[in-house]
Amino acid sequence: MARTSPMQFVQQVRAEVGKVVWPTRREVTLTTIMVLIMATVMALFFTLVDMIIRLGLDGVLNGF
């Protein structure tokens, strides 16, 4: 692998950063809201599943 000088490295990094398509504020806001909604839905789902499993185990263990 060929070694590059620090100056070439910095130039290459700047060129690559220039190619990045940064999201708009609206895209970031909408994505953040969707993540929060999905996290809430999944938390409720797993809470419900946990309650059902606990109810079933209590029924089995108290049955003896």
Side-chain angles (χ1 to χ4, degrees), residues 8-63:
Q8 284 178 322
F9 176 75
V10 170
Q11 289 172 347
Q12 290 173 357
V13 169
R14 283 183 167 222
E16 289 300 318
V17 169
K19 296 178 187 176
V20 174
V21 178
W22 298 101
T24 63
R25 180 179 293 270
R26 178 175 162 75
E27 290 172 333
V28 171
T29 302
L30 288 175
T31 304
T32 302
I33 290 170
M34 289 305 297
V35 167
L36 292 174
I37 290 171
M38 288 305 298
T40 303
V41 168
M42 294 308 294
L44 291 173
F45 171 75
F46 285 115
T47 300
L48 180 63
V49 169
D50 182 57
M51 291 173 71
I52 291 170
I53 290 172
R54 184 176 28 185
L55 182 65
L57 283 175
D58 283 343
V60 168
L61 294 176
N62 290 332

